[in-house]
Amino acid sequence: MSKPLIKVRPVGGVGQIGSNMTLIQGDNDTILIDAGILFPYEDFFDIDYLIPDMSQIPEPSHLVITHGHEDHIGAVLHVVKKFPKIKVLASPFTAGLIRKKLDFAHHQHQIVEYRHFDQLGFKDFTIDPIHVNHSIPETVGLLIKDTKEQIGIFFISDFKIDFKTIYERPFDFDKLIKHTKDLKRKILLCDSTNITSSTKETPSEQDLIPVLDGIFEEAKNRIFITCFSSNIHRLMTFINLCKKHNKKLVPHGRSMISYLNTANELGMIPDFPSVVRQADTMTGKEDNVVVLLSGCQGDFRGTFRRFCVGEDSQFKPRPDDTVVLSSKAIPGNEKKISLLINRLSEVGCHVITAQDKLIHVSGHPGRKDLQMLYEKYQPTDIVPIHGESYFIREHIEFANEVFPKATAHYFHNNDSLVIHQDMTIDVVDGPDIDPIIIHGKGIILEKEKISERRKLACNGSVFLSLKLSSTRAKVEKYTFHTMGLPTLITLNEDKFKRFLDGYFIQINFKDEEKTNEELRVAIRRYFDQILGYKPMTTVHIL
Amino acid sequence: MSKPLIKVRPVGGVGQIGSNMTLIQGDNDTILIDAGILFPYEDFFDIDYLIPDMSQIPEPSHLVITHGHEDHIGAVLHVVKKFPKIKVLASPFTAGLIRKKLDFAHHQHQIVEYRHFDQLGFKDFTIDPIHVNHSIPETVGLLIKDTKEQIGIFFISDFKIDFKTIYERPFDFDKLIKHTKDLKRKILLCDSTNITSSTKETPSEQDLIPVLDGIFEEAKNRIFITCFSSNIHRLMTFINLCKKHNKKLVPHGRSMISYLNTANELGMIPDFPSVVRQADTMTGKEDNVVVLLSGCQGDFRGTFRRFCVGEDSQFKPRPDDTVVLSSKAIPGNEKKISLLINRLSEVGCHVITAQDKLIHVSGHPGRKDLQMLYEKYQPTDIVPIHGESYFIREHIEFANEVFPKATAHYFHNNDSLVIHQDMTIDVVDGPDIDPIIIHGKGIILEKEKISERRKLACNGSVFLSLKLSSTRAKVEKYTFHTMGLPTLITLNEDKFKRFLDGYFIQINFKDEEKTNEELRVAIRRYFDQILGYKPMTTVHIL
């Protein structure tokens, strides 16, 4: 075993889906790949998102972005604030998205654009972007090679293989093969998102077009469509179908408008001006329209939810509307979305989901697609990334089964894949580090504060203030307030007063701190006897 | 159109999955079928469950229970408390489950047992229970006939058709056909749970046995299984496999033990004493065991979750354990469960889910099963129940397609299906009534209190008490307390004090109520500037 040549350490994204961030270190280089957020994976109430904990990584000189999804760019603001000298590299479209984010936060930081045919040079290694297909334009895999060109690490967190789509070129296998054919060791760090999916070969974006065309054909009246706003190619399909069927397309919702505008500003959408109409120029009574709603995950503030429940000011669901969910539920959102479908069904809308028809395709590889990649690239080592631990384990089993000549390695956030000068490889265990919770103005909310919030939400709260007499021997006056307790309590406040009056007679206030705590406990017990649970209780003695 | 003969009104369960309760009214009879709970369908924090609102129904004389699932018996306590004279009728096993519930709540109420071969007589109609298959023993459909035997209503909310199972007889089509062949109008109120499922023919409970046997065969070490505790037949399969493979079965978790005991007390499980071992007699180090864990939905207090995250005191997951999820996620629980699978994968357990192997079957009919029921019963009218509105609509489309000679009717909670003397049928619109939220000791928690709890959880809270000077012209003393706010705030309390001190100088306390409100608003604004959100704020002036 010799000196490390390159170290690869996921800071996020391995053992969870989201918060993708990977540290690549050489002797003289420290760079980050991607800076994504993690959507709340359990009930953290209204918090915004989580980001990887960067407190234990060395300062990187560069941040290279693979594509513009939130789980790859959502934490860029946090990275550039923490490392103000970092150079951020992204494709033109991705750079456009990042710039919008930074502008929104009134933060200045230069974003340098690279193209898929550029080579990014560093001291210890080079990076060649390899164009791949996915569900957002300008996605690349990154081929990292040592300067002696002995070892290649093909890092490809999100991709699919799409030979049919008209919107972009297919996965650039030619470049990959050309640049790696003479390498001695070829490592593949690769997407595990769909490893448990029953769809073995991810269909093409193209396959949706005839199905969606049929829906446009059959719709008697208005069509409402929700999908992932960042899927520009999907949006272009809707634009083309509107043109064909002589309908107007109305993007509705902040993110839908924002992504479309970014793509349009970069000249990516040829028919944009002739087809697209602004929602606020409409009366809501027009019939010949296709309304594109953002918020396909049913999020509370999203336009799709607001439309479904009748809260949108411009468009209300009507019995003759066709509503198309050209999307899938991200795990955790299934129930939220099904409740909205339910609301539309009650109104009598014709609802079409991806369960009924092929109106959504994934942006990730099925098992057969993975196998094709193995066979084209011929890796010596396969390292599953971009997935929960269960997916990583399944991916390893799969790799061992279909491509046994490669060695599959299990690793997890903060473990390191160490590639030595002699071309041996080690996986070195790293610490377990929780992601960081962000709420409000980019502010960290500690986990124990989430617990406090949970206790408030699950038990309600009671506030009591006492004013003692000037001798501090008895209560002169008091006032109280409850929040989140049932009407049974608020309608019977007299009972609580009698309880307090009785309690105050028995006690003295010699040790005010002790009295405060005893009173707090007594109040919690009082409510527990009635309710079966103890509200969060605060007592102030003045 | 003539006088109503029978009216059928769902109080819950149509337009939602859960809280099943149906009112059947004749001229002289008012009876209820089932009294179930609804599991929280959105984030209501820690609340226990919801029940149908019974404030607008007439007093029923009888409550007839079809089977012992929580969404059919969970609200019996609320019904017998509201209608103390009601006569509750249930099968022996179901009665056993209900009695345990009432005992637990220290409530006395007689439960009368009926058998599937009994006929239940009322003034205006008779009810014949028809044995069906499902995922809990002793499930029946109810055949309601007017006394002149002209009209039959076959009410069958939960069922499957299982000709293969060894644990019970198949669906009693013979009795159904015999009792309905001369009727003039035959109405079917029927299960919609699996109408959108891709499984058209629900497999038999029997089909799991060879697959589970293979898992027992291959397991090198301990086996942990979670499943729905009420699925006694599934539990009997595990008992039989333990016997075959010479292993001990350890039921672990309150509900698993309780259901098994109820079944055992009624003599339903022949091999119980020889195979079953109590968890608390074990060291946790034994290898040759099969541990049955309750809480297959990943609920926070459930034994399965506690085991997965290492919180169970008796059993900790080990790399050589096989963990079998012989269950499916109820919509809304997918993410919770996948996070637990993830934890087990991190430890290195061998996890087997129903996605990998046929180790779970549904208790509800697929489309082909529904079609078989139509063909056997030959209904004149099909009324989908037991499903969200989307399912009800899909079921109607399906019925129209495969059994067009029947009329399919759409109805929803609190609508009435009115069957007239002349045998015409109307569906009469009813009001929209929200279910009632229950938390703690069976206490109603109003919806607006849930909103208060949500605000507390999403924004944290600030509590400030002021003591004014004796002239009430200035603040003599104050104290404050925050809950659920980030460390950024709690570490900088001095700043908040300076803000308050500055604020107090400017104000007078002539109108204390107005001052209180202004101060409250100012505090919320102060925090909003730092955090980007406004904590719930309470001010007490004493």
Side-chain angles (χ1 to χ4, degrees), chain B residues 273-320:
Chain B
S274 67
V275 174
V276 174
R277 197 168 157 182
Q278 284 183 11
D280 56 15
T281 66
M282 308 194 60
T283 63
K285 301 226 158 57
E286 293 85 351
D287 284 338
N288 200 27
V289 293
V290 175
V291 185
L292 274 186
L293 305 164
S294 50
C296 67
Q297 294 305 304
D299 29 308
F300 191 75
R301 293 189 191 81
T303 310
F304 177 58
R305 191 199 69 85
R306 294 173 54 79
F307 164 72
C308 293
V309 302
E311 284 175 11
D312 186 69
S313 54
Q314 221 109 20
F315 301 103
K316 310 280 178 202
R318 299 195 306 228
D320 48 4

Side-chain angles (χ1 to χ4, degrees), chain B residues 488-518:
Chain B
L488 180 73
I489 298 298
T490 46
L491 291 181
N492 291 289
E493 288 193 341
D494 282 355
K495 271 193 199 161
F496 182 51
K497 279 187 193 155
R498 283 199 295 277
F499 161 77
L500 287 177
D501 292 336
Y503 191 89
F504 292 154
I505 291 168
Q506 309 163 30
I507 52 170
N508 66 61
F509 289 87
K510 273 179 196 157
D511 182 344
E512 286 181 18
E513 205 169 311
K514 197 175 147 218
T515 303
N516 188 320
E517 181 54 20
E518 284 169 358

Side-chain angles (χ1 to χ4, degrees), chain A residues 11 57 65 73 85 116 128 165 190 231 304 347 362 366 437 446 499 520:
Chain A
V11 188
I57 62 168
I65 303 289
I73 68 167
K85 287 189 241 156
H116 65 89
D128 287 288
T165 176
C190 168
N231 195 332
F304 177 59
V347 174
S362 170
I437 299 164
E446 294 75 13
F499 160 77
R520 210 180 64 80

Side-chain angles (χ1 to χ4, degrees), chain B residues 62-117:
Chain B
H62 293 75
L63 168 63
V64 185
I65 303 289
T66 60
H67 65 288
H69 277 152
E70 283 299 306
D71 60 335
H72 294 257
I73 68 167
V76 169
L77 179 65
H78 295 274
V79 172
V80 297
K81 276 187 173 173
K82 187 171 169 68
F83 305 115
K85 286 188 242 157
I86 199 164
K87 194 168 169 184
V88 182
L89 300 164
S91 79
F93 175 64
T94 311
L97 297 176
I98 297 172
R99 285 188 195 113
K100 281 224 164 107
K101 271 185 184 300
L102 299 183
D103 285 353
F104 187 76
H106 305 292
H107 192 88
Q108 303 281 324
H109 198 96
Q110 204 201 344
I111 312 297
V112 181
E113 293 181 12
Y114 71 85
R115 301 264 173 175
H116 65 88
F117 44 75

Side-chain angles (χ1 to χ4, degrees), chain A residues 43 342 345-346 388-390 393 439 441 446 449 452-453 457-458 465 484-485 487 529 531 533 540, chain B residues 43 342 345-346 389-390 393 439 441 443 446 449 452-453 457-458 465 484-485 487 529 531 533 540:
Chain A
D43 187 9
N342 219 26
S345 292
E346 281 171 15
E388 306 206 349
S389 302
Y390 179 60
R393 296 264 186 218
H439 184 205
K441 291 188 177 173
E446 294 75 13
K449 302 298 181 175
E452 265 183 35
R453 290 181 173 203
C458 296
S465 305
L485 295 190
T487 302
Q529 273 166 9
L531 299 173
Y533 54 90
H540 287 169
Chain B
D43 187 9
N342 218 27
S345 292
E346 281 171 15
S389 301
Y390 179 59
R393 296 263 186 218
H439 184 204
K441 291 189 176 171
I443 291 163
E446 295 75 15
K449 302 297 181 174
E452 265 182 37
R453 290 181 174 202
C458 296
S465 304
L485 295 189
T487 302
Q529 275 167 6
L531 299 173
Y533 54 91
H540 286 170

